Amino acid sequence: MSETYTTIIGLEVHVQLATDSKLFCGCSTRFGAEPNTQTCPVCIGMPGTLPVMNRRAFELALRTAVALDCEIPAFTKWDRKQYYYPDLPKNYQISQYDLPMSQHGHLDIRDPKGAFATKRVRILRAHLEEDAGKSLHDEVAGKGDSLIDLNRTGTPLLEIVTEPDLRSPLEAKTFLSELKLLLTYIGVSDCNMQEGSLRVDANINLHIPASSTDPPRPGCPSDQGKHTIATPIVEIKNMNSFRAVERALEYEAGRLWHEWQETHRKLGEVPKLTRGWDDVAGVTRGQRSKEESSDYRYFPDPDLAPVTVSPAEVELVRGSLGELPAALRARLQDGFALSSYDADVLINQGQAVVVYFLEVAESAGDAKAAANWVTQDVLRVLKETNTTLDSLGLPAARLAELIRQIKLGDVPGPRAREVFQAMIERRVDVAAALESLGIAAVDESELIALASKLLAANPKTISDVRAGKAQAVGALIGQAKKQNPNIDPTRFREICLQLIETAL
Ligand code: ZN
Ligand code: MN
């Protein structure tokens, strides 16, 4: 198989914005309530009711759009997207069509393992819309009954659409992780996929170099002077995790390639297709041909006033965003010399952990040691005890003090973890933890006395070391630890070797 193809992927992400109430009425958006208990005449589409925009939802959408470096038009309006479906009581969804609240942004992605170069993924647009309800199919009872829960109807969603800039399933997965990180950092969504707060549809097709006998296909997007054929675009739905998105795209790229080989040069005009991902079987299945936007008969919603946004408002939002994950990552790697792995571990834990790390690193004067303690020990304790940094009982200043005292030799290195544990359990500082454990720093004269005593009792060690076997000292370290568990083994070893040498 000498032919190769380019995989072209674009994503459509629906993010539930973290508001208490719905987009056009006062109903709660809380997840998990009894079906149809969070509805009102507005969101179930009773005639004569009027929607009123939730200002908070618009603010969160604006925050996201600015964080994605989108252009924010001064004027944006609402449109009705019309289709009939049982979970849509009005028979139209209030969305945004030709004047979305933001467009032309971007998000940069990178692969820590270097599988692809750092790249900029363009955002075509991000617009606000309301969610539909949820169909519940009674498969358990085997009757095939379907019921509708309208609690979700009218929940504010931000639909984020990328340009088809992604070139592999891994890039798509990486984009989603980076987007989720950004959205949780700026506090606009919890991005909980299990609860439907983040839903992904993926568009994929293949661009295949054509042989000279193929007819030219003007209008093919990648046909910039080259002779390329594009397979039909497939939209994949029903993916419940980022890993599922990656698997579904891998499967679909293979399926499209296989189909292309079977129908080689007989493609003709194939409409866009929608396929659903079956996670258990690991395959996509055909659903329906994809609607064109003309099928929805969009028109401006006469019940809602357009929204205006001033440049001053945009700048206010920009100023309130704080340091975004990409900038923070660069600061950790460049300013604190952390590995990209350590930087990612910290950033993926969220802002609180990063701020804690920065305090420890600055106060201890040792970023590498701070990163080790935070990523290994602090995160382990948080996980084991299922607690947060606030209730951990180890302020950053205390951890910094521990790191400093280990370096100074005031806390014996081998017992540092015990001290750390005692500081957390008893909620005390280093000095009190040392006292509670009965650890006193062993001073130099004590070490010398202990080394002299043990050497005198072990003449064979001395002769072995003199015969060139320096490792013979190891036996003495074990004995010394039994007599005083607080000794620093490295320093003790150095002292033994010095004593043997000077006794010559
Ligand atoms: Zn309502
Ligand atoms: Mn949508």
Side-chain angles (χ1 to χ4, degrees), residues 99-235:
L99 294 172
M101 52 88 52
S102 67
Q103 56 189 346
H104 305 144
H106 59 84
L107 182 66
D108 293 340
I109 60 168
R110 46 184 272 297
D111 179 41
K113 296 197 190 98
F116 58 84
T118 298
K119 78 182 294 178
R120 174 152 292 189
V121 181
R122 291 170 300 157
I123 307 292
L124 174 63
R125 58 186 279 159
H127 70 252
L128 260 168
E129 62 186 28
E130 56 178 352
D131 204 350
K134 190 172 164 50
S135 306
L136 304 163
H137 305 293
D138 191 4
E139 284 130 354
V140 182
K143 290 188 221 143
D145 292 348
S146 285
L147 299 166
I148 305 294
D149 176 8
L150 296 178
N151 282 353
R152 214 171 69 180
T153 311
T155 294
L157 300 179
L158 188 68
E159 179 177 325
I160 301 168
V161 184
T162 77
E163 296 278 4
D165 285 348
L166 299 155
R167 291 292 171 271
S168 71
L170 176 66
E171 286 186 12
K173 188 175 101 177
T174 307
F175 173 85
L176 292 169
S177 304
E178 191 67 21
L179 180 65
K180 179 179 170 180
L181 186 65
L182 179 71
L183 298 174
T184 48
Y185 257 70
I186 61 175
V188 297
S189 175
D190 62 18
C191 294
N192 185 330
M193 278 186 107
Q194 274 71 47
E195 295 180 1
S197 303
L198 192 154
R199 306 197 286 270
V200 183
D201 299 335
N203 287 288
I204 178 172
N205 74 339
L206 309 180
H207 286 188
I208 300 163
S211 65
S212 54
T213 53
D214 288 320
R217 308 246 309 176
C220 172
S222 76
D223 208 354
Q224 295 150 341
K226 287 174 282 169
H227 196 186
T228 308
I229 293 175
T231 69
I233 295 172
V234 173
E235 178 174 31

Side-chain angles (χ1 to χ4, degrees), residues 440-484:
V442 183
D443 71 23
E444 195 84 351
S445 61
E446 280 179 76
L447 279 179
I448 294 170
L450 184 58
S452 308
K453 193 177 93 180
L454 289 174
L455 283 171
N458 295 279
K460 182 156 186 330
T461 305
I462 300 176
S463 55
D464 283 351
V465 171
R466 286 188 177 150
K469 286 190 264 173
Q471 70 274 22
V473 173
L476 296 192
I477 297 173
Q479 292 185 41
K481 270 189 185 164
K482 272 184 207 145
Q483 300 205 14
N484 186 344

Side-chain angles (χ1 to χ4, degrees), residues 148-470:
I148 305 294
D149 176 8
L150 296 178
N151 282 353
R152 214 171 69 180
T153 311
T155 294
L157 300 179
L158 188 68
E159 179 177 325
I160 301 168
V161 184
T162 77
E163 296 278 4
D165 285 348
L166 299 155
R167 291 292 171 271
S168 71
L170 176 66
E171 286 186 12
K173 188 175 101 177
T174 307
F175 173 85
L176 292 169
S177 304
E178 191 67 21
L179 180 65
K180 179 179 170 180
L181 186 65
L182 179 71
L183 298 174
T184 48
Y185 257 70
I186 61 175
V188 297
S189 175
D190 62 18
C191 294
N192 185 330
M193 278 186 107
Q194 274 71 47
E195 295 180 1
S197 303
L198 192 154
R199 306 197 286 270
V200 183
D201 299 335
N203 287 288
I204 178 172
N205 74 339
L206 309 180
H207 286 188
I208 300 163
S211 65
S212 54
T213 53
D214 288 320
R217 308 246 309 176
C220 172
S222 76
D223 208 354
Q224 295 150 341
K226 287 174 282 169
H227 196 186
T228 308
I229 293 175
T231 69
I233 295 172
V234 173
E235 178 174 31
I236 313 173
K237 290 184 174 291
N238 195 36
M239 299 167 289
N240 293 320
S241 67
F242 293 169
R243 175 70 187 128
V245 172
E246 188 182 27
R247 286 178 66 215
L249 286 167
E250 277 164 2
Y251 173 85
E252 193 58 23
R255 195 195 65 78
L256 280 167
W257 176 242
H258 183 74
E259 186 179 78
W260 157 255
Q261 287 176 310
E262 305 253 291
T263 61
H264 202 45
R265 293 177 195 108
K266 287 188 217 110
L267 275 181
E269 280 309 303
V270 183
K272 287 185 183 174
L273 304 165
T274 300
R275 299 179 69 87
W277 172 245
D278 179 335
D279 203 60
V280 178
V283 299
T284 61
R285 297 184 208 282
Q287 291 184 330
R288 59 186 158 90
S289 65
K290 195 170 149 50
E291 291 88 352
E292 297 295 330
S293 67
S294 59
D295 296 333
Y296 291 119
R297 292 143 34 246
Y298 282 97
F299 76 90
D301 193 309
D303 290 343
L304 282 159
V307 185
T308 55
V309 184
S310 70
E313 273 177 87
V314 174
E315 286 321 303
L316 209 62
V317 170
R318 204 183 303 281
S320 76
L321 281 175
E323 199 170 19
L324 298 179
L328 208 44
R329 188 183 284 125
R331 189 147 74 97
L332 291 180
Q333 288 185 237
D334 303 339
F336 290 86
L338 294 194
S339 67
S340 84
Y341 178 82
D342 280 347
D344 274 349
V345 170
L346 288 170
I347 287 170
N348 290 335
Q349 294 294 321
Q351 263 146 326
V353 170
V354 177
V355 168
Y356 182 84
F357 160 78
L358 290 171
E359 273 183 62
V360 176
E362 271 156 16
S363 170
D366 185 339
K368 183 62 196 159
N372 287 344
W373 279 100
V374 174
T375 59
Q376 290 164 27
D377 301 275
V378 173
L379 293 183
R380 173 182 50 80
V381 173
L382 290 183
K383 201 175 164 196
E384 281 170 6
T385 57
N386 192 24
T387 178
T388 62
L389 269 180
D390 284 342
S391 44
L392 177 65
L394 184 68
R398 279 194 183 157
L399 179 54
E401 189 197 355
L402 175 64
I403 294 170
R404 278 199 309 271
Q405 297 210 19
I406 295 166
K407 269 175 101 177
L408 290 170
D410 296 340
V411 172
R415 299 195 67 183
R417 278 224 160 69
E418 273 176 78
V419 177
F420 170 83
Q421 209 64 40
M423 287 171 76
I424 289 175
E425 278 159 20
R426 294 161 177 267
R427 308 198 160 226
V428 293
D429 64 7
V430 179
L434 287 172
E435 204 186 317
S436 74
L437 291 168
I439 299 177
V442 183
D443 71 23
E444 195 84 351
S445 61
E446 280 179 76
L447 279 179
I448 294 170
L450 184 58
S452 308
K453 193 177 93 180
L454 289 174
L455 283 171
N458 295 279
K460 182 156 186 330
T461 305
I462 300 176
S463 55
D464 283 351
V465 171
R466 286 188 177 150
K469 286 190 264 173

